Amino acid sequence: MDDAPPASAPLTEGASVRRAPSGRRRLALFCLAMAPVAALLGLLAWGAVQSSGNPGGLAVNAAPGEEPASGRRAPDFAVTTLDGGRVYDNEALRGKYALIDFWSSWCPPCRAEASDLAAVYEEYKDAPVEFVGVAIWDETRAVLSHVERYRVGYPNAMDTDGDMVVAFGVRGIPEKYVLDREGRIVRKLTGPVSRERLRQILDELLADDG
């Protein structure tokens, strides 16, 4: 008896042989599978451009408000002014009342209050009061344009890496932290502030010195 394996049956007309996908076909299948992912990434990028860079986790405080102040010392920080002329940190502000304002040029409430902040700063220049603006999620050119447009005379800097945002626990803009002479956070203001309200706050603080 012949134990040799049977020969393969010949292919009949119309029959086909299954072959592994070619390299080109595998690439096409991969691209097809990744298309939804690419579309999602493109949509997110488009949304970021349309929101002028706002990452979405940062709220815009449209209405004036105030939250309880912690009373704790302000976290350590150091920022360099836009012109690179001076570094502002905890020690540089010690001995003065300080208003640290977190803002962005694309933020409508920030633009709405800009003139009032600039005017009150000029009124209190001879008092032991300092304003420091800290622009976040913004571009240098836009920040400089804002400062020039609203004639902002107080020092401004950019928190490029978000270190101050994290340290202070900023959740929206505009958001202001008022420090006493010892560097403790005594007021936390959210949303735009009027000249009258800001004058009242500063006068109350200065009256405590008397």
Side-chain angles (χ1 to χ4, degrees), residues 74-109:
D76 292 336
F77 67 91
V79 289
T80 304
T81 54
L82 292 171
D83 60 4
R86 182 173 178 181
V87 174
Y88 280 85
D89 56 16
N90 305 72
E91 289 304 316
L93 297 175
R94 187 175 299 279
K96 294 183 177 181
Y97 294 103
L99 175 77
I100 300 179
D101 176 39
F102 291 93
W103 66 280
S104 294
S105 64
W106 48 262
C107 160

PDB file of all heavy atoms in Angstrom, residues 74-109:
ATOM      1  N   ALA A  74       0.912  83.815  51.185  1.00  0.00           N
ATOM      2  CA  ALA A  74       0.888  83.521  49.753  1.00  0.00           C
ATOM      3  C   ALA A  74       1.985  82.514  49.426  1.00  0.00           C
ATOM      4  O   ALA A  74       3.058  82.541  50.035  1.00  0.00           O
ATOM      5  CB  ALA A  74       1.098  84.796  48.951  1.00  0.00           C
ATOM      6  N   PRO A  75       1.732  81.605  48.516  1.00  0.00           N
ATOM      7  CA  PRO A  75       2.775  80.642  48.138  1.00  0.00           C
ATOM      8  C   PRO A  75       3.973  81.357  47.527  1.00  0.00           C
ATOM      9  O   PRO A  75       3.857  82.464  47.008  1.00  0.00           O
ATOM     10  CB  PRO A  75       2.068  79.757  47.110  1.00  0.00           C
ATOM     11  CG  PRO A  75       0.944  80.592  46.586  1.00  0.00           C
ATOM     12  CD  PRO A  75       0.499  81.438  47.725  1.00  0.00           C
ATOM     13  N   ASP A  76       5.115  80.718  47.619  1.00  0.00           N
ATOM     14  CA  ASP A  76       6.321  81.305  47.037  1.00  0.00           C
ATOM     15  C   ASP A  76       6.157  81.426  45.528  1.00  0.00           C
ATOM     16  O   ASP A  76       5.679  80.502  44.862  1.00  0.00           O
ATOM     17  CB  ASP A  76       7.543  80.437  47.352  1.00  0.00           C
ATOM     18  CG  ASP A  76       7.890  80.459  48.830  1.00  0.00           C
ATOM     19  OD1 ASP A  76       7.517  81.442  49.505  1.00  0.00           O
ATOM     20  OD2 ASP A  76       8.520  79.497  49.312  1.00  0.00           O
ATOM     21  N   PHE A  77       6.563  82.556  44.995  1.00  0.00           N
ATOM     22  CA  PHE A  77       6.474  82.774  43.560  1.00  0.00           C
ATOM     23  C   PHE A  77       7.540  83.776  43.149  1.00  0.00           C
ATOM     24  O   PHE A  77       8.090  84.506  43.973  1.00  0.00           O
ATOM     25  CB  PHE A  77       5.091  83.311  43.159  1.00  0.00           C
ATOM     26  CG  PHE A  77       4.794  84.695  43.667  1.00  0.00           C
ATOM     27  CD1 PHE A  77       5.104  85.813  42.896  1.00  0.00           C
ATOM     28  CD2 PHE A  77       4.220  84.889  44.907  1.00  0.00           C
ATOM     29  CE1 PHE A  77       4.844  87.085  43.367  1.00  0.00           C
ATOM     30  CE2 PHE A  77       3.949  86.163  45.386  1.00  0.00           C
ATOM     31  CZ  PHE A  77       4.262  87.266  44.609  1.00  0.00           C
ATOM     32  N   ALA A  78       7.804  83.829  41.876  1.00  0.00           N
ATOM     33  CA  ALA A  78       8.739  84.803  41.308  1.00  0.00           C
ATOM     34  C   ALA A  78       8.416  84.951  39.829  1.00  0.00           C
ATOM     35  O   ALA A  78       8.400  83.960  39.094  1.00  0.00           O
ATOM     36  CB  ALA A  78      10.185  84.354  41.487  1.00  0.00           C
ATOM     37  N   VAL A  79       8.119  86.173  39.407  1.00  0.00           N
ATOM     38  CA  VAL A  79       7.830  86.449  38.000  1.00  0.00           C
ATOM     39  C   VAL A  79       8.641  87.651  37.553  1.00  0.00           C
ATOM     40  O   VAL A  79       8.907  88.566  38.332  1.00  0.00           O
ATOM     41  CB  VAL A  79       6.328  86.719  37.760  1.00  0.00           C
ATOM     42  CG1 VAL A  79       5.524  85.450  37.909  1.00  0.00           C
ATOM     43  CG2 VAL A  79       5.803  87.799  38.701  1.00  0.00           C
ATOM     44  N   THR A  80       9.025  87.627  36.292  1.00  0.00           N
ATOM     45  CA  THR A  80       9.789  88.727  35.709  1.00  0.00           C
ATOM     46  C   THR A  80       8.858  89.581  34.860  1.00  0.00           C
ATOM     47  O   THR A  80       8.042  89.050  34.106  1.00  0.00           O
ATOM     48  CB  THR A  80      10.940  88.199  34.837  1.00  0.00           C
ATOM     49  OG1 THR A  80      11.757  87.330  35.618  1.00  0.00           O
ATOM     50  CG2 THR A  80      11.791  89.347  34.311  1.00  0.00           C
ATOM     51  N   THR A  81       8.961  90.891  34.985  1.00  0.00           N
ATOM     52  CA  THR A  81       8.085  91.779  34.232  1.00  0.00           C
ATOM     53  C   THR A  81       8.282  91.589  32.733  1.00  0.00           C
ATOM     54  O   THR A  81       9.307  91.077  32.276  1.00  0.00           O
ATOM     55  CB  THR A  81       8.357  93.243  34.606  1.00  0.00           C
ATOM     56  OG1 THR A  81       9.752  93.525  34.440  1.00  0.00           O
ATOM     57  CG2 THR A  81       7.972  93.509  36.047  1.00  0.00           C
ATOM     58  N   LEU A  82       7.289  92.006  31.970  1.00  0.00           N
ATOM     59  CA  LEU A  82       7.300  91.792  30.525  1.00  0.00           C
ATOM     60  C   LEU A  82       8.533  92.383  29.857  1.00  0.00           C
ATOM     61  O   LEU A  82       9.024  91.851  28.861  1.00  0.00           O
ATOM     62  CB  LEU A  82       6.037  92.399  29.907  1.00  0.00           C
ATOM     63  CG  LEU A  82       4.725  91.691  30.270  1.00  0.00           C
ATOM     64  CD1 LEU A  82       3.536  92.510  29.780  1.00  0.00           C
ATOM     65  CD2 LEU A  82       4.681  90.294  29.682  1.00  0.00           C
ATOM     66  N   ASP A  83       9.014  93.509  30.393  1.00  0.00           N
ATOM     67  CA  ASP A  83      10.198  94.120  29.795  1.00  0.00           C
ATOM     68  C   ASP A  83      11.489  93.529  30.344  1.00  0.00           C
ATOM     69  O   ASP A  83      12.588  93.964  29.975  1.00  0.00           O
ATOM     70  CB  ASP A  83      10.179  95.641  30.005  1.00  0.00           C
ATOM     71  CG  ASP A  83      10.165  96.023  31.484  1.00  0.00           C
ATOM     72  OD1 ASP A  83      10.240  95.114  32.350  1.00  0.00           O
ATOM     73  OD2 ASP A  83      10.077  97.227  31.781  1.00  0.00           O
ATOM     74  N   GLY A  84      11.361  92.546  31.224  1.00  0.00           N
ATOM     75  CA  GLY A  84      12.537  91.894  31.792  1.00  0.00           C
ATOM     76  C   GLY A  84      13.283  92.778  32.776  1.00  0.00           C
ATOM     77  O   GLY A  84      14.419  92.478  33.142  1.00  0.00           O
ATOM     78  N   GLY A  85      12.637  93.834  33.232  1.00  0.00           N
ATOM     79  CA  GLY A  85      13.337  94.798  34.083  1.00  0.00           C
ATOM     80  C   GLY A  85      13.400  94.465  35.548  1.00  0.00           C
ATOM     81  O   GLY A  85      14.302  94.901  36.255  1.00  0.00           O
ATOM     82  N   ARG A  86      12.425  93.681  36.048  1.00  0.00           N
ATOM     83  CA  ARG A  86      12.416  93.426  37.481  1.00  0.00           C
ATOM     84  C   ARG A  86      11.715  92.110  37.787  1.00  0.00           C
ATOM     85  O   ARG A  86      10.815  91.700  37.068  1.00  0.00           O
ATOM     86  CB  ARG A  86      11.701  94.565  38.217  1.00  0.00           C
ATOM     87  CG  ARG A  86      11.691  94.407  39.727  1.00  0.00           C
ATOM     88  CD  ARG A  86      11.135  95.617  40.432  1.00  0.00           C
ATOM     89  NE  ARG A  86      11.099  95.426  41.871  1.00  0.00           N
ATOM     90  CZ  ARG A  86      10.632  96.315  42.746  1.00  0.00           C
ATOM     91  NH1 ARG A  86      10.154  97.477  42.314  1.00  0.00           N
ATOM     92  NH2 ARG A  86      10.625  96.067  44.042  1.00  0.00           N
ATOM     93  N   VAL A  87      12.176  91.485  38.855  1.00  0.00           N
ATOM     94  CA  VAL A  87      11.560  90.254  39.326  1.00  0.00           C
ATOM     95  C   VAL A  87      10.708  90.574  40.550  1.00  0.00           C
ATOM     96  O   VAL A  87      11.182  91.218  41.491  1.00  0.00           O
ATOM     97  CB  VAL A  87      12.613  89.185  39.691  1.00  0.00           C
ATOM     98  CG1 VAL A  87      11.941  87.968  40.313  1.00  0.00           C
ATOM     99  CG2 VAL A  87      13.425  88.788  38.468  1.00  0.00           C
ATOM    100  N   TYR A  88       9.451  90.149  40.515  1.00  0.00           N
ATOM    101  CA  TYR A  88       8.567  90.325  41.666  1.00  0.00           C
ATOM    102  C   TYR A  88       8.363  88.971  42.334  1.00  0.00           C
ATOM    103  O   TYR A  88       8.025  87.985  41.684  1.00  0.00           O
ATOM    104  CB  TYR A  88       7.218  90.909  41.233  1.00  0.00           C
ATOM    105  CG  TYR A  88       7.279  92.396  41.013  1.00  0.00           C
ATOM    106  CD1 TYR A  88       7.699  92.912  39.798  1.00  0.00           C
ATOM    107  CD2 TYR A  88       6.941  93.286  42.025  1.00  0.00           C
ATOM    108  CE1 TYR A  88       7.778  94.287  39.583  1.00  0.00           C
ATOM    109  CE2 TYR A  88       7.018  94.664  41.834  1.00  0.00           C
ATOM    110  CZ  TYR A  88       7.429  95.146  40.613  1.00  0.00           C
ATOM    111  OH  TYR A  88       7.523  96.510  40.417  1.00  0.00           O
ATOM    112  N   ASP A  89       8.599  88.954  43.637  1.00  0.00           N
ATOM    113  CA  ASP A  89       8.380  87.735  44.409  1.00  0.00           C
ATOM    114  C   ASP A  89       7.847  88.118  45.785  1.00  0.00           C
ATOM    115  O   ASP A  89       7.519  89.279  46.041  1.00  0.00           O
ATOM    116  CB  ASP A  89       9.673  86.916  44.522  1.00  0.00           C
ATOM    117  CG  ASP A  89      10.829  87.719  45.126  1.00  0.00           C
ATOM    118  OD1 ASP A  89      10.573  88.787  45.742  1.00  0.00           O
ATOM    119  OD2 ASP A  89      11.980  87.289  44.995  1.00  0.00           O
ATOM    120  N   ASN A  90       7.757  87.149  46.671  1.00  0.00           N
ATOM    121  CA  ASN A  90       7.189  87.398  47.995  1.00  0.00           C
ATOM    122  C   ASN A  90       7.946  88.485  48.743  1.00  0.00           C
ATOM    123  O   ASN A  90       7.346  89.383  49.357  1.00  0.00           O
ATOM    124  CB  ASN A  90       7.201  86.104  48.813  1.00  0.00           C
ATOM    125  CG  ASN A  90       6.500  84.962  48.113  1.00  0.00           C
ATOM    126  OD1 ASN A  90       7.028  84.421  47.138  1.00  0.00           O
ATOM    127  ND2 ASN A  90       5.329  84.584  48.589  1.00  0.00           N
ATOM    128  N   GLU A  91       9.247  88.435  48.681  1.00  0.00           N
ATOM    129  CA  GLU A  91      10.051  89.400  49.428  1.00  0.00           C
ATOM    130  C   GLU A  91       9.944  90.802  48.850  1.00  0.00           C
ATOM    131  O   GLU A  91       9.943  91.797  49.580  1.00  0.00           O
ATOM    132  CB  GLU A  91      11.520  88.954  49.454  1.00  0.00           C
ATOM    133  CG  GLU A  91      11.769  87.727  50.327  1.00  0.00           C
ATOM    134  CD  GLU A  91      11.292  87.940  51.765  1.00  0.00           C
ATOM    135  OE1 GLU A  91      11.555  89.029  52.321  1.00  0.00           O
ATOM    136  OE2 GLU A  91      10.660  87.030  52.320  1.00  0.00           O
ATOM    137  N   ALA A  92       9.836  90.903  47.538  1.00  0.00           N
ATOM    138  CA  ALA A  92       9.743  92.224  46.902  1.00  0.00           C
ATOM    139  C   ALA A  92       8.458  92.940  47.300  1.00  0.00           C
ATOM    140  O   ALA A  92       8.415  94.183  47.322  1.00  0.00           O
ATOM    141  CB  ALA A  92       9.820  92.082  45.387  1.00  0.00           C
ATOM    142  N   LEU A  93       7.414  92.182  47.636  1.00  0.00           N
ATOM    143  CA  LEU A  93       6.127  92.782  47.996  1.00  0.00           C
ATOM    144  C   LEU A  93       5.935  92.926  49.495  1.00  0.00           C
ATOM    145  O   LEU A  93       4.962  93.556  49.932  1.00  0.00           O
ATOM    146  CB  LEU A  93       4.988  91.925  47.418  1.00  0.00           C
ATOM    147  CG  LEU A  93       4.935  91.823  45.898  1.00  0.00           C
ATOM    148  CD1 LEU A  93       3.838  90.860  45.466  1.00  0.00           C
ATOM    149  CD2 LEU A  93       4.708  93.200  45.265  1.00  0.00           C
ATOM    150  N   ARG A  94       6.828  92.371  50.273  1.00  0.00           N
ATOM    151  CA  ARG A  94       6.678  92.444  51.725  1.00  0.00           C
ATOM    152  C   ARG A  94       6.731  93.900  52.193  1.00  0.00           C
ATOM    153  O   ARG A  94       7.529  94.699  51.707  1.00  0.00           O
ATOM    154  CB  ARG A  94       7.779  91.631  52.419  1.00  0.00           C
ATOM    155  CG  ARG A  94       7.583  91.515  53.938  1.00  0.00           C
ATOM    156  CD  ARG A  94       8.637  90.609  54.530  1.00  0.00           C
ATOM    157  NE  ARG A  94       8.550  89.264  53.977  1.00  0.00           N
ATOM    158  CZ  ARG A  94       7.682  88.353  54.404  1.00  0.00           C
ATOM    159  NH1 ARG A  94       6.836  88.650  55.370  1.00  0.00           N
ATOM    160  NH2 ARG A  94       7.653  87.163  53.865  1.00  0.00           N
ATOM    161  N   GLY A  95       5.860  94.226  53.126  1.00  0.00           N
ATOM    162  CA  GLY A  95       5.804  95.592  53.651  1.00  0.00           C
ATOM    163  C   GLY A  95       4.785  96.452  52.938  1.00  0.00           C
ATOM    164  O   GLY A  95       4.519  97.584  53.346  1.00  0.00           O
ATOM    165  N   LYS A  96       4.191  95.902  51.840  1.00  0.00           N
ATOM    166  CA  LYS A  96       3.157  96.619  51.098  1.00  0.00           C
ATOM    167  C   LYS A  96       1.905  95.756  51.011  1.00  0.00           C
ATOM    168  O   LYS A  96       1.960  94.532  51.149  1.00  0.00           O
ATOM    169  CB  LYS A  96       3.627  96.938  49.670  1.00  0.00           C
ATOM    170  CG  LYS A  96       4.777  97.905  49.562  1.00  0.00           C
ATOM    171  CD  LYS A  96       5.082  98.170  48.090  1.00  0.00           C
ATOM    172  CE  LYS A  96       6.179  99.197  47.925  1.00  0.00           C
ATOM    173  NZ  LYS A  96       6.450  99.475  46.484  1.00  0.00           N
ATOM    174  N   TYR A  97       0.782  96.411  50.766  1.00  0.00           N
ATOM    175  CA  TYR A  97      -0.401  95.675  50.381  1.00  0.00           C
ATOM    176  C   TYR A  97      -0.269  95.396  48.884  1.00  0.00           C
ATOM    177  O   TYR A  97       0.105  96.287  48.111  1.00  0.00           O
ATOM    178  CB  TYR A  97      -1.668  96.481  50.662  1.00  0.00           C
ATOM    179  CG  TYR A  97      -1.910  96.711  52.135  1.00  0.00           C
ATOM    180  CD1 TYR A  97      -1.639  97.947  52.714  1.00  0.00           C
ATOM    181  CD2 TYR A  97      -2.392  95.690  52.945  1.00  0.00           C
ATOM    182  CE1 TYR A  97      -1.842  98.157  54.067  1.00  0.00           C
ATOM    183  CE2 TYR A  97      -2.591  95.895  54.306  1.00  0.00           C
ATOM    184  CZ  TYR A  97      -2.324  97.124  54.861  1.00  0.00           C
ATOM    185  OH  TYR A  97      -2.519  97.332  56.195  1.00  0.00           O
ATOM    186  N   ALA A  98      -0.569  94.186  48.502  1.00  0.00           N
ATOM    187  CA  ALA A  98      -0.361  93.804  47.105  1.00  0.00           C
ATOM    188  C   ALA A  98      -1.636  93.212  46.511  1.00  0.00           C
ATOM    189  O   ALA A  98      -2.350  92.447  47.170  1.00  0.00           O
ATOM    190  CB  ALA A  98       0.778  92.793  46.989  1.00  0.00           C
ATOM    191  N   LEU A  99      -1.893  93.593  45.283  1.00  0.00           N
ATOM    192  CA  LEU A  99      -3.000  93.026  44.512  1.00  0.00           C
ATOM    193  C   LEU A  99      -2.396  92.225  43.370  1.00  0.00           C
ATOM    194  O   LEU A  99      -1.746  92.788  42.484  1.00  0.00           O
ATOM    195  CB  LEU A  99      -3.895  94.129  43.955  1.00  0.00           C
ATOM    196  CG  LEU A  99      -5.021  93.649  43.029  1.00  0.00           C
ATOM    197  CD1 LEU A  99      -6.155  93.055  43.859  1.00  0.00           C
ATOM    198  CD2 LEU A  99      -5.547  94.784  42.166  1.00  0.00           C
ATOM    199  N   ILE A 100      -2.573  90.923  43.406  1.00  0.00           N
ATOM    200  CA  ILE A 100      -2.078  90.057  42.340  1.00  0.00           C
ATOM    201  C   ILE A 100      -3.268  89.656  41.479  1.00  0.00           C
ATOM    202  O   ILE A 100      -4.186  88.979  41.947  1.00  0.00           O
ATOM    203  CB  ILE A 100      -1.372  88.814  42.902  1.00  0.00           C
ATOM    204  CG1 ILE A 100      -0.182  89.246  43.774  1.00  0.00           C
ATOM    205  CG2 ILE A 100      -0.903  87.907  41.777  1.00  0.00           C
ATOM    206  CD1 ILE A 100       0.574  88.093  44.399  1.00  0.00           C
ATOM    207  N   ASP A 101      -3.246  90.097  40.242  1.00  0.00           N
ATOM    208  CA  ASP A 101      -4.384  89.912  39.335  1.00  0.00           C
ATOM    209  C   ASP A 101      -4.034  88.903  38.250  1.00  0.00           C
ATOM    210  O   ASP A 101      -3.112  89.111  37.462  1.00  0.00           O
ATOM    211  CB  ASP A 101      -4.760  91.252  38.706  1.00  0.00           C
ATOM    212  CG  ASP A 101      -5.863  91.122  37.673  1.00  0.00           C
ATOM    213  OD1 ASP A 101      -6.797  90.334  37.916  1.00  0.00           O
ATOM    214  OD2 ASP A 101      -5.790  91.804  36.636  1.00  0.00           O
ATOM    215  N   PHE A 102      -4.768  87.796  38.200  1.00  0.00           N
ATOM    216  CA  PHE A 102      -4.600  86.799  37.144  1.00  0.00           C
ATOM    217  C   PHE A 102      -5.606  87.110  36.038  1.00  0.00           C
ATOM    218  O   PHE A 102      -6.812  87.216  36.291  1.00  0.00           O
ATOM    219  CB  PHE A 102      -4.827  85.386  37.693  1.00  0.00           C
ATOM    220  CG  PHE A 102      -3.757  84.934  38.649  1.00  0.00           C
ATOM    221  CD1 PHE A 102      -3.903  85.121  40.018  1.00  0.00           C
ATOM    222  CD2 PHE A 102      -2.606  84.331  38.176  1.00  0.00           C
ATOM    223  CE1 PHE A 102      -2.917  84.702  40.903  1.00  0.00           C
ATOM    224  CE2 PHE A 102      -1.604  83.912  39.057  1.00  0.00           C
ATOM    225  CZ  PHE A 102      -1.762  84.103  40.426  1.00  0.00           C
ATOM    226  N   TRP A 103      -5.119  87.233  34.813  1.00  0.00           N
ATOM    227  CA  TRP A 103      -5.968  87.673  33.709  1.00  0.00           C
ATOM    228  C   TRP A 103      -5.451  87.137  32.382  1.00  0.00           C
ATOM    229  O   TRP A 103      -4.371  86.544  32.309  1.00  0.00           O
ATOM    230  CB  TRP A 103      -6.003  89.201  33.668  1.00  0.00           C
ATOM    231  CG  TRP A 103      -4.667  89.820  33.338  1.00  0.00           C
ATOM    232  CD1 TRP A 103      -3.608  90.016  34.190  1.00  0.00           C
ATOM    233  CD2 TRP A 103      -4.237  90.293  32.064  1.00  0.00           C
ATOM    234  NE1 TRP A 103      -2.544  90.576  33.524  1.00  0.00           N
ATOM    235  CE2 TRP A 103      -2.902  90.766  32.221  1.00  0.00           C
ATOM    236  CE3 TRP A 103      -4.838  90.376  30.809  1.00  0.00           C
ATOM    237  CZ2 TRP A 103      -2.172  91.303  31.169  1.00  0.00           C
ATOM    238  CZ3 TRP A 103      -4.108  90.911  29.753  1.00  0.00           C
ATOM    239  CH2 TRP A 103      -2.796  91.378  29.939  1.00  0.00           C
ATOM    240  N   SER A 104      -6.215  87.377  31.325  1.00  0.00           N
ATOM    241  CA  SER A 104      -5.799  87.040  29.965  1.00  0.00           C
ATOM    242  C   SER A 104      -6.360  88.084  29.013  1.00  0.00           C
ATOM    243  O   SER A 104      -7.452  88.622  29.245  1.00  0.00           O
ATOM    244  CB  SER A 104      -6.310  85.656  29.548  1.00  0.00           C
ATOM    245  OG  SER A 104      -5.707  84.628  30.310  1.00  0.00           O
ATOM    246  N   SER A 105      -5.648  88.335  27.949  1.00  0.00           N
ATOM    247  CA  SER A 105      -6.076  89.373  27.001  1.00  0.00           C
ATOM    248  C   SER A 105      -7.336  88.974  26.233  1.00  0.00           C
ATOM    249  O   SER A 105      -8.059  89.823  25.748  1.00  0.00           O
ATOM    250  CB  SER A 105      -4.941  89.681  26.015  1.00  0.00           C
ATOM    251  OG  SER A 105      -4.653  88.541  25.211  1.00  0.00           O
ATOM    252  N   TRP A 106      -7.604  87.660  26.102  1.00  0.00           N
ATOM    253  CA  TRP A 106      -8.772  87.200  25.359  1.00  0.00           C
ATOM    254  C   TRP A 106     -10.026  87.138  26.235  1.00  0.00           C
ATOM    255  O   TRP A 106     -11.116  86.815  25.754  1.00  0.00           O
ATOM    256  CB  TRP A 106      -8.518  85.819  24.755  1.00  0.00           C
ATOM    257  CG  TRP A 106      -7.931  84.818  25.706  1.00  0.00           C
ATOM    258  CD1 TRP A 106      -6.612  84.474  25.818  1.00  0.00           C
ATOM    259  CD2 TRP A 106      -8.628  84.032  26.670  1.00  0.00           C
ATOM    260  NE1 TRP A 106      -6.439  83.526  26.798  1.00  0.00           N
ATOM    261  CE2 TRP A 106      -7.664  83.246  27.346  1.00  0.00           C
ATOM    262  CE3 TRP A 106      -9.967  83.919  27.055  1.00  0.00           C
ATOM    263  CZ2 TRP A 106      -7.998  82.352  28.366  1.00  0.00           C
ATOM    264  CZ3 TRP A 106     -10.301  83.046  28.076  1.00  0.00           C
ATOM    265  CH2 TRP A 106      -9.326  82.274  28.713  1.00  0.00           C
ATOM    266  N   CYS A 107      -9.889  87.466  27.513  1.00  0.00           N
ATOM    267  CA  CYS A 107     -10.984  87.362  28.478  1.00  0.00           C
ATOM    268  C   CYS A 107     -11.793  88.659  28.506  1.00  0.00           C
ATOM    269  O   CYS A 107     -11.270  89.703  28.903  1.00  0.00           O
ATOM    270  CB  CYS A 107     -10.393  87.050  29.854  1.00  0.00           C
ATOM    271  SG  CYS A 107     -11.442  87.433  31.254  1.00  0.00           S
ATOM    272  N   PRO A 108     -13.072  88.651  28.067  1.00  0.00           N
ATOM    273  CA  PRO A 108     -13.878  89.881  28.036  1.00  0.00           C
ATOM    274  C   PRO A 108     -13.971  90.608  29.372  1.00  0.00           C
ATOM    275  O   PRO A 108     -13.812  91.839  29.420  1.00  0.00           O
ATOM    276  CB  PRO A 108     -15.250  89.390  27.548  1.00  0.00           C
ATOM    277  CG  PRO A 108     -14.929  88.169  26.731  1.00  0.00           C
ATOM    278  CD  PRO A 108     -13.800  87.511  27.455  1.00  0.00           C
ATOM    279  N   PRO A 109     -14.232  89.920  30.512  1.00  0.00           N
ATOM    280  CA  PRO A 109     -14.283  90.653  31.784  1.00  0.00           C
ATOM    281  C   PRO A 109     -12.943  91.288  32.152  1.00  0.00           C
ATOM    282  O   PRO A 109     -12.914  92.345  32.796  1.00  0.00           O
ATOM    283  CB  PRO A 109     -14.678  89.571  32.802  1.00  0.00           C
ATOM    284  CG  PRO A 109     -15.356  88.511  32.002  1.00  0.00           C
ATOM    285  CD  PRO A 109     -14.646  88.514  30.688  1.00  0.00           C
TER     286      PRO A 109
END
